[in-house]
Amino acid sequence: MDDAQYDARGPPRKRRRKAPTSTSSYVFRPLLEDIALAPEDYTSKVHITCIELWESNLYIGTSAAEILHYVAIPPDPADITASPSYIFASRLQPTFNQTSAASPAPGVQQILVLPKVSKACILCNGTLTFYSLPELSPAFENTVVPGCSWLGGGNQNQSDDEDEDGQTVTICVKSRIRLVRIADKPQKIRNIDFPGCLAIARRDNFACVADAQAYALLDVENQQKISLFPISSLDENAAGGQVEDISFHPEASRPSSGVADSRGHGRSTSLGTFVSGIGRRSPQSRSQERSGRNTPEPGLRAASPLRPPDRPRSGSVADDTARRLSVSGKPLPPPPERTSSQMAVRNTAASFSTKMTPHICSPTPTEFLLTTGTSPEDPGVGIFVNLDGDVVRGTLQFDRYPTSVVADGNDQTAIVSATGIQQPQEGYILASTFQLKEDGHREVIEVHRWDIDNANGTEHLDVPFPFDEDNSEDIEPVLGQARLRVILSHHSTSFLEVAERLRLGRLRLPNGDQVQKTESDAVPIDAAEEKRNREEEAFGQRLGAQSSRVVLWSGSSVWWLIRNPLVLRLDGMIETAMISWMDERQQEVDRSQISRTVSSIQEYEAITETEFLSLKYIRQKAGLILFADTLSRDPTVSSISNTELRMAENLMVDNGLDPRILVSMIPLLREEVFEGQQGIWLHNGLIGVVEEYTQVLAGSGSIEGPLRHNESVNMIKRYLVGWRQRKGFGSIADETEVFQSVDAALLHLLLYQDGQHSAKSGKPSAARAELYSLVDSGVDCFGRAVVLLEQSGRLYVLSRLYQNRKMVGKVLETWRRIIDGEEDAGNELRDGENEVRKYLAKIRDINLIHEYGTWLARRNADLGVKVFADDNSRVKFQPEDVVKLLQEQAPDAVKVYLEHLVFGKKKVQYANRLITYYLDSVLQVLETSNEARSMLGQSYESYRALQPPKPTYRQFIIDNAVPVAWWQDRLRLLELLGGSHGADFSYDLDNILGRIEPFEQDLVPESIILDGRQGRHKQALRLLTHGLGDYHTAINYCLMGGASIFHPISGSLTPNETSTREDQATLFGYLLTEFLRIEDASNRVERTSELLERFGRWYDVREVLGVIPESWSVELVSGFLVSAFRRLVHDKHEGMVVKALSGAENLQVAAAFAEKCKIAGAQIEEAQ
């Protein structure tokens, strides 16, 4: 994007600072705030003591011994983010016994709603009363139970629907525990002898209970108790591990001897030893405590990655807790003196609690969590025990002994999805306590993971401050009033932030007018986009729903404690790694933090659709930030390790983010994006990141942007290549446009990289081979590829692209453009004409072969002729058709083609045409050029001037050939006229004679050949001897019987088959006559003597002696005479030998005849 484009859209914007997204596991949502708790004329401070929600009815118990009844008004269905509003319905004062009420009176202690029987049990100031739902009218004739210390539900492993006769409740009175079934009237089931019970949780037949001093495990059916451990480890009177019979006896309660009877468990526990040994555990125990669990819970999900990684578990708290909880046979030493701040904390804690309240919750069907410690202001410990009373898992460390504890997740509060199916959650323990902070004492919620190794520490959530609108100030809360509770009804909250992040939105490209469009883009997209946005909004509404049953109250306000959605937690972690934008430039991000966030979810198994989309969104955002941050950095200033580079690349490829998004962020490649009709859609939460980094990458004002550095180019290239390998995957949306964009961007990038390297070094780069591989394998963006290659002047690469598409005509056209001189930036087509010839041999299109074959023949006749003469070509041509075509399109190539036919293919039937072409060429020159005629005459004189031994005239003119076409044509003409193609070869002698007759003095060798063809041997030998002085050729003429004088340079002579010895002798006779006429006497004598001596057997001695001049001495012809006489003597002796051999043969035949007659004997023939 250039500066003008940016100006059109306004200057680059700074990133606005906004409140970071919470990374905590839970967030607060108000349920009801600023409740008018105090009745009229009530002077004491009133606070909330308990809460219950059933359907649309909210019941709030207060310290003023009242219950406030609110009714929910459903929100507008069109507003998914709206919560129900509550209107005040009534104020109830439950009945209670003044004598049984504690001092000070706690007010309403518990509200237990029994939906199945439409009843409510209310414990107020130690008195239990019963009411009907929902208006809380008195039930069971105002039945009251005084002296009640605790009220609880039934078996947590059994749903209310399984109890057909009503609902079972547990009532704890001063001396016993009563199991009561509530139906039309209360019915006692059984009594359990356990006085002073303050808390109870039941699983099947086992219940974990606590009084003011210790915890115990009860066998409800068999009436047995196993003492566990004290609430305070300073209580030396509580002994654990004993098994007692607790069956109810009105007379007395007999303590068990510690050994179970036949109906009980035959085992004892070691919990007392466990508690007393917390401060001095074995290494194995400490290891188990650090691991967070001893035995894996089957069916639990993978470890949660959502802890803030910057909160390591403090060892000081654990050590302090272990030291304070240590119980031995010796009394504890006095504690060290406290500092003023520590004393302030202790005094503050002592102001609201002097005793430690027992806490029991059951996170799984087979386990209970119990809390213990030394004092309310000191750290506490959470211990897990199973139904056998054995300690399991590791312990939980609380910074202060909690005021309330609830379990959330897994078995306790499984969420309900939009489909109505329960989905398991991570297991959390939530505890309310307080901390000393810089601004004073603050109540906090401690969040612990109990189902996995909680190596990342404990989360702390500050309880919200009440707010005074009149004074616009926070009101200092009263410590110790914050409480947690798991209520009856689920509450669903919609997180608009989740929908806004996960829904899809269309990415508006900064230069959309230049972005590539598809043919179908003629359809207006506004209506389609609007429809798509509505669909995405509706889809996003389903994703932000989060359900909870945990409430928190403090002072006069109530909040929901809701799981922070996965995407918000992870997104918050990524946001903490981002640094604010300054001076319109982005500072470096904390890459390690983002990498840890991504690594933490590698093994996370998504169960719901929302979780799946959340993980996908986080991976895409993290990959996008890491990748873009890498591109935005200057490697010379801030280097990034190869490991980080590879991680960013792999994350970008694997996270499924549309590659067009990254391409659109790079100025040089932005125009290669194919939006298509639908456009580019991505998670709405990523659009801002894309826009911001787009401005950063274009901030330099250069179109190259991040491509100035080779490392960035290579990283983008690897990313695009990785995407190309995914072609054919059916899961890719907008597959056509995506891979069109990928191919176009990769092609543009390789062209840029190769061009930059070649401009600097002048040599091809390694990217050129990748460029060839890309176009050879085919690209989806063919039209855009053609434009890019044309614009960059890479015609040869364009031809390879056409080859991949089998566009033969375009390939040849592109090569012709290069050969004809059009600039090819890469200069890659070597020996282009020969490449055209070879390519034409591979195709079958006759029209293209004709067009480009004749074009090539006009440029290079030799190569052009090969197109039509190649035996390996896929298309075969008839010579007559080729000759005709060449005569029309490339006349200069006809002669070359005929030469191929005559000399290459030995097709002598085309020799006459070729001779005609040669004659035309030679005679045309001789007619118009005296210089040419002079050259011929000079060649004759030069040859005659040579002294023997000398080459033949033909060899002489070959060795001294003039580099002109007509000279070469004359050599070929002599070869054809001389009969190099055999005796059967004939040509139009009369026509040739008529044409060369005007040039007989210039064309001597041609005249000699023609004389020989006509049988004018004397004339031929005369021209050879006196016209040329080629004596060697003259001798060969005689030996060949006058057939030819220009035979092949190599190989043996081939005499005329019709010539006889007599013909040869006659020719040699003519030659002797011509030799004797040589003007130079010495040359005459030498040539004649040599002729007679070498070929004397063809001469008669008397005839030779008759023609030799008398002035010659015998010595000059002595060689001939000696050989002649020797030959005569040889013939005479040979005749004598033959005669003798014939006589001997005659005698042999006669002897053989006589012998045969003797053997046969006489034969008498009688006369007839």
Side-chain angles (χ1 to χ4, degrees):
M1 178 184 297
D2 55 23
D3 293 338
Q5 290 170 330
Y6 266 101
D7 293 341
R9 303 180 69 248
R13 296 171 299 173
K14 292 184 180 180
R15 185 181 183 184
R16 294 183 178 179
R17 297 298 301 272
K18 62 179 182 179
T21 304
S22 173
T23 61
S24 60
S25 300
Y26 286 84
V27 293
F28 298 100
R29 290 290 185 271
L31 189 156
L32 197 59
E33 295 181 302
D34 299 327
I35 306 172
L37 299 178
E40 295 181 359
D41 301 331
Y42 196 85
T43 58
S44 300
K45 188 71 174 179
V46 180
H47 61 273
I48 300 173
T49 57
C50 58
I51 289 178
E52 186 58 270
L53 176 66
W54 172 65
E55 295 181 350
S56 61
N57 298 278
L58 176 62
Y59 306 106
I60 301 176
T62 70
S63 58
E66 290 185 331
I67 293 181
L68 308 182
H69 180 198
Y70 286 83
V71 178
I73 303 299
D76 183 2
D79 186 0
I80 63 170
T81 62
S83 298
S85 58
Y86 291 87
I87 60 174
F88 181 74
S90 63
R91 186 186 296 267
L92 172 70
Q93 292 82 25
T95 302
F96 62 90
N97 190 341
Q98 296 287 349
T99 59
S100 62
S103 180
V108 178
Q109 298 167 268
Q110 288 179 268
I111 301 175
L112 178 62
V113 174
L114 306 176
K116 183 178 180 181
V117 295
S118 297
K119 295 294 187 291
C121 305
I122 298 177
L123 177 60
C124 179
N125 290 330
T127 301
L128 175 63
T129 53
F130 302 92
Y131 298 90
S132 297
L133 298 177
E135 68 281 356
L136 297 184
S137 59
F140 305 139
E141 300 177 355
N142 292 323
T143 301
V144 298
V145 180
C148 183
S149 59
W150 196 86
L151 175 67
N155 180 9
Q156 294 185 34
N157 286 351
Q158 181 181 13
S159 65
D160 295 336
D161 295 335
E162 296 179 19
D163 193 348
E164 299 179 356
D165 298 331
Q167 287 186 252
T168 302
V169 298
T170 304
I171 302 173
C172 300
V173 295
K174 291 183 178 180
S175 60
R176 64 185 63 86
I177 298 174
R178 290 179 178 175
L179 297 183
V180 178
R181 181 177 289 110
I182 304 298
D184 295 336
K185 62 180 180 179
Q187 292 181 340
K188 183 183 74 173
I189 300 176
R190 69 169 57 85
N191 289 335
I192 301 174
D193 187 8
F194 190 86
C197 181
L198 298 180
I200 184 171
R202 180 182 172 187
R203 292 286 187 177
D204 292 330
N205 294 333
F206 299 94
C208 187
V209 297
D211 54 20
Q213 286 78 35
Y215 296 99
L217 188 64
L218 304 183
D219 185 339
V220 177
E221 296 294 333
N222 297 317
Q223 299 285 296
Q224 288 189 337
K225 179 184 77 172
I226 301 176
S227 299
L228 299 179
F229 48 83
I231 300 171
S232 173
S233 59
L234 300 180
D235 187 357
E236 299 181 1
N237 296 324
Q242 295 183 348
V243 179
E244 304 177 27
D245 185 354
I246 57 173
S247 56
F248 180 72
H249 299 284
E251 309 86 18
S253 298
R254 295 183 295 105
S256 173
S257 62
V259 180
D261 60 17
S262 59
R263 298 178 300 166
H265 296 282
R267 61 177 297 171
S268 63
T269 67
S270 57
L271 284 173
T273 305
F274 169 77
V275 174
S276 64
I278 288 180
R280 54 177 187 276
R281 296 185 183 181
S282 64
Q284 180 178 1
S285 299
R286 289 193 296 269
S287 174
Q288 292 173 356
E289 180 177 342
R290 287 192 299 270
S291 69
R293 62 186 297 173
N294 190 12
T295 305
E297 182 71 18
L300 295 182
R301 297 174 61 179
S304 172
L306 309 177
R307 292 288 180 195
D310 55 349
R311 295 183 180 178
R313 175 176 299 197
S314 173
S316 62
V317 174
D319 294 342
D320 181 67
T321 303
R323 182 174 64 254
R324 293 181 177 275
L325 294 180
S326 177
V327 178
S328 62
K330 299 179 182 181
L332 287 173
E337 295 184 0
R338 300 180 183 269
T339 63
S340 58
S341 61
Q342 290 173 331
M343 291 300 296
V345 174
R346 170 177 286 274
N347 294 336
T348 302
S351 66
F352 70 87
S353 177
T354 57
K355 291 187 178 181
M356 297 171 59
T357 303
H359 301 295
I360 304 174
C361 61
S362 180
T364 73
T366 60
E367 294 176 356
F368 300 101
L369 173 67
L370 317 176
T371 60
T372 183
T374 56
S375 66
E377 68 272 16
D378 289 328
V381 178
I383 302 173
F384 292 91
V385 297
N386 60 17
L387 299 182
D388 293 328
D390 295 331
V391 176
V392 293
R393 306 182 184 279
T395 59
L396 301 180
Q397 301 289 342
F398 301 106
D399 293 346
R400 294 292 183 270
Y401 190 84
T403 57
S404 60
V405 177
V406 297
D408 183 34
N410 277 322
D411 178 68
Q412 279 291 318
T413 55
I415 64 172
V416 180
S417 66
T419 59
I421 302 176
Q422 285 194 344
Q423 303 288 353
Q425 289 184 302
E426 299 92 342
Y428 286 94
I429 296 297
L430 307 177
S432 59
T433 179
F434 68 94
Q435 284 185 330
L436 178 61
K437 298 190 175 184
E438 295 179 356
D439 56 349
H441 302 97
R442 290 295 302 270
E443 289 188 304
V444 297
I445 304 299
E446 290 190 21
V447 182
H448 299 263
R449 282 296 298 272
W450 61 264
D451 56 339
I452 61 168
D453 177 9
N454 191 16
N456 290 327
T458 303
E459 295 183 52
H460 294 83
L461 308 179
D462 291 338
V463 175
F465 269 164
F467 188 76
D468 188 346
E469 294 183 357
D470 296 334
N471 298 324
S472 299
E473 294 180 354
D474 291 333
I475 301 175
E476 182 70 20
V478 179
L479 295 182
Q481 292 184 359
R483 293 292 188 275
L484 294 166
R485 174 174 171 79
V486 177
I487 61 175
L488 186 64
S489 298
H490 284 275
H491 170 73
S492 180
T493 300
S494 181
F495 284 81
L496 184 61
E497 302 93 330
V498 175
E500 285 301 311
R501 283 169 169 80
L502 298 185
R503 67 175 291 267
L504 298 184
R506 182 170 182 178
L507 178 65
R508 294 295 181 183
L509 299 179
N511 57 341
D513 56 329
Q514 298 181 15
V515 177
Q516 303 300 315
K517 306 290 183 180
T518 61
E519 296 179 357
S520 59
D521 285 344
V523 180
I525 63 174
D526 292 341
E529 182 178 348
E530 183 179 354
K531 178 182 178 182
R532 176 75 178 272
N533 282 327
R534 290 196 300 269
E535 294 174 351
E536 291 298 334
E537 289 176 1
F539 175 74
Q541 293 175 3
R542 298 193 294 108
L543 302 177
Q546 199 76 5
S547 179
S548 177
R549 290 175 53 201
V550 181
V551 295
L552 165 72
W553 65 85
S554 179
S556 61
S557 298
V558 183
W559 298 272
W560 290 105
L561 201 56
I562 303 177
R563 295 285 182 94
N564 196 11
L566 175 67
V567 66
L568 298 185
R569 286 181 274 170
L570 294 172
D571 205 17
M573 294 180 186
I574 293 179
E575 288 181 0
T576 58
M578 304 290 292
I579 307 299
S580 63
W581 296 75
M582 301 176 62
D583 299 329
E584 300 179 358
R585 296 182 61 187
Q586 186 197 30
Q587 307 300 309
E588 292 185 359
V589 301
D590 188 351
R591 299 177 64 91
S592 60
Q593 168 71 8
I594 297 178
S595 299
R596 287 195 299 270
T597 301
V598 175
S599 300
S600 67
I601 60 176
Q602 293 298 324
E603 303 299 328
Y604 194 92
E605 181 181 356
I607 296 179
T608 65
E609 182 182 23
T610 302
E611 287 184 351
F612 175 80
L613 294 176
S614 299
L615 297 179
K616 178 183 175 183
Y617 165 80
I618 291 300
R619 291 189 177 101
Q620 290 182 353
K621 184 171 184 178
L624 183 62
I625 292 175
L626 292 177
F627 204 93
D629 177 68
T630 303
L631 295 180
S632 65
R633 297 192 185 195
D634 186 345
T636 61
V637 178
S638 176
S639 61
I640 300 176
S641 66
N642 291 332
T643 302
E644 290 181 325
L645 287 177
R646 293 297 182 184
M647 178 179 180
E649 294 173 23
N650 295 336
L651 194 59
M652 280 297 292
V653 174
D654 297 339
N655 63 20
L657 184 66
D658 193 327
R660 295 177 293 175
I661 297 170
L662 179 65
V663 172
S664 70
M665 297 166 60
I666 303 172
L668 181 67
L669 306 180
R670 188 170 297 143
E671 295 184 4
E672 312 313 326
V673 176
F674 288 77
E675 279 196 273
Q677 180 180 1
Q678 297 181 354
I680 302 175
W681 293 76
L682 70 161
H683 289 297
N684 200 56
L686 300 179
I687 294 179
V689 177
V690 173
E691 293 176 346
E692 290 165 355
Y693 270 106
T694 299
Q695 296 180 14
V696 171
L697 296 179
S700 63
S702 170
I703 193 172
E704 295 178 349
L707 303 183
R708 295 188 301 271
H709 311 295
N710 194 51
E711 293 81 358
S712 299
V713 175
N714 290 330
M715 186 174 71
I716 298 173
K717 182 170 62 178
R718 289 191 295 268
Y719 168 72
L720 294 174
V721 170
W723 258 96
R724 270 181 56 85
Q725 296 173 352
R726 303 177 67 177
K727 283 189 178 182
F729 289 15
S731 59
I732 299 176
D734 299 328
E735 181 178 9
T736 301
E737 290 78 11
V738 166
F739 289 113
Q740 284 178 343
S741 303
V742 169
D743 288 349
L746 183 57
L747 177 61
H748 197 161
L749 191 65
L750 291 174
L751 288 172
Y752 169 80
Q753 189 177 30
D754 183 49
Q756 291 292 312
H757 183 276
S758 300
K760 294 178 181 178
S761 64
K763 299 179 181 179
S765 67
R768 182 164 297 184
E770 298 175 279
L771 180 61
Y772 290 164
S773 177
L774 174 64
V775 297
D776 291 345
S777 61
V779 293
D780 292 350
C781 58
F782 178 75
R784 179 58 181 170
V786 172
V787 173
L788 284 173
L789 294 172
E790 290 280 7
Q791 290 177 347
S792 59
R794 302 301 293 271
L795 297 182
Y796 176 72
V797 182
L798 177 61
S799 71
R800 298 184 70 133
L801 178 66
Y802 287 140
Q803 288 186 62
N804 176 261
R805 289 292 183 106
K806 308 298 182 184
M807 301 175 68
V808 179
K810 287 292 185 179
V811 174
L812 293 170
E813 179 186 351
T814 308
W815 283 353
R816 180 166 62 183
R817 291 168 57 189
I818 299 174
I819 296 171
D820 285 344
E822 189 170 342
E823 182 182 2
D824 180 26
N827 194 24
E828 299 152 274
L829 183 61
R830 307 293 183 180
D831 194 9
E833 293 178 348
N834 193 43
E835 289 296 324
V836 172
R837 180 195 66 79
K838 292 189 290 185
Y839 192 72
L840 290 174
K842 299 176 182 178
I843 65 176
R844 299 181 182 273
D845 193 322
I846 296 179
N847 294 329
L848 288 176
I849 297 175
H850 284 174
E851 178 183 355
Y852 289 94
T854 55
W855 166 79
L856 185 60
R858 289 192 296 271
R859 290 185 56 87
N860 187 328
D862 292 334
L863 285 177
V865 165
K866 290 181 180 179
V867 173
F868 302 100
D870 192 350
D871 293 334
N872 296 321
S873 176
R874 292 191 175 185
V875 179
K876 308 299 181 183
F877 296 93
Q878 295 298 323
E880 288 294 338
D881 298 334
V882 175
V883 171
K884 182 179 179 181
L885 177 65
L886 293 177
Q887 285 175 341
E888 296 175 356
Q889 303 294 332
D892 294 340
V894 176
K895 180 187 67 175
V896 179
Y897 183 69
L898 292 175
E899 288 176 345
H900 165 74
L901 294 177
V902 175
F903 296 105
K905 297 295 185 179
K906 306 301 180 183
K907 296 184 179 294
V908 297
Q909 62 268 32
Y910 297 99
N912 274 320
R913 293 188 186 182
L914 186 56
I915 291 173
T916 302
Y917 272 95
Y918 288 152
L919 281 175
D920 291 341
S921 176
V922 174
L923 297 180
Q924 183 179 4
V925 173
L926 294 178
E927 289 175 354
T928 59
S929 175
N930 293 326
E931 181 182 359
R933 302 179 72 173
S934 176
M935 289 174 60
L936 290 177
Q938 187 177 0
S939 69
Y940 300 147
E941 293 178 4
S942 299
Y943 183 75
R944 286 194 297 265
L946 293 177
Q947 296 297 322
K950 59 183 179 180
T952 63
Y953 178 74
R954 181 173 185 270
Q955 186 62 42
F956 173 77
I957 60 177
I958 291 175
D959 295 340
N960 298 276
V962 181
V964 292
W966 69 269
W967 189 278
Q968 300 297 327
D969 291 343
R970 183 177 178 240
L971 293 178
R972 288 296 183 95
L973 176 63
L974 290 174
E975 185 176 351
L976 288 176
L977 294 177
S980 60
H981 286 71
D984 295 337
F985 171 60
S986 62
Y987 43 82
D988 190 351
L989 186 60
D990 295 335
N991 179 50
I992 296 173
L993 285 172
R995 296 191 63 183
I996 69 171
E997 184 177 0
F999 306 98
E1000 285 184 350
Q1001 300 300 322
D1002 300 310
L1003 302 176
V1004 175
E1006 288 83 352
S1007 299
I1008 294 171
I1009 294 173
L1010 295 177
D1011 286 339
R1013 283 281 183 173
Q1014 298 175 84
R1016 299 168 58 184
H1017 301 302
K1018 287 183 180 182
Q1019 180 66 18
L1021 290 174
R1022 184 180 299 113
L1023 290 175
L1024 282 171
T1025 304
H1026 305 291
L1028 291 178
D1030 189 356
Y1031 311 120
H1032 182 75
T1033 301
I1035 293 173
N1036 288 336
Y1037 184 87
C1038 297
L1039 292 174
M1040 298 292 292
S1044 175
I1045 63 170
F1046 294 109
H1047 52 77
I1049 297 176
S1050 61
S1052 59
L1053 297 177
T1054 306
N1056 191 346
E1057 296 179 358
T1058 61
S1059 65
T1060 61
R1061 184 176 179 82
E1062 289 75 11
D1063 295 334
Q1064 293 175 346
T1066 301
L1067 294 177
F1068 274 112
Y1070 297 155
L1071 183 58
L1072 178 60
T1073 301
E1074 297 302 327
F1075 276 11
L1076 290 174
R1077 294 176 181 175
I1078 296 175
E1079 294 181 0
D1080 186 90
S1082 60
N1083 191 23
R1084 179 172 63 248
V1085 172
E1086 185 178 353
R1087 300 279 73 76
T1088 303
S1089 299
E1090 182 184 5
L1091 176 64
L1092 293 174
E1093 185 175 355
R1094 291 179 59 192
F1095 303 99
R1097 62 179 177 273
W1098 274 276
Y1099 291 98
D1100 184 87
V1101 177
R1102 288 174 295 183
E1103 293 180 358
V1104 172
L1105 291 177
V1107 297
I1108 291 177
E1110 294 181 356
S1111 59
W1112 285 21
S1113 65
V1114 176
E1115 185 179 0
L1116 294 177
V1117 293
S1118 60
F1120 166 72
L1121 294 175
V1122 171
S1123 62
F1125 291 145
R1126 184 177 294 156
R1127 187 168 56 255
L1128 291 174
V1129 173
H1130 175 271
D1131 291 343
K1132 178 181 179 182
H1133 291 168
E1134 184 179 358
M1136 293 175 63
V1137 171
V1138 171
K1139 182 179 180 181
L1141 291 175
S1142 297
E1145 184 180 7
N1146 187 41
L1147 291 176
Q1148 281 184 329
V1149 172
F1153 178 75
E1155 186 68 22
K1156 287 183 182 280
C1157 290
K1158 183 179 179 180
I1159 294 173
Q1163 184 176 4
I1164 302 173
E1165 296 182 357
E1166 296 181 356
Q1168 297 295 331

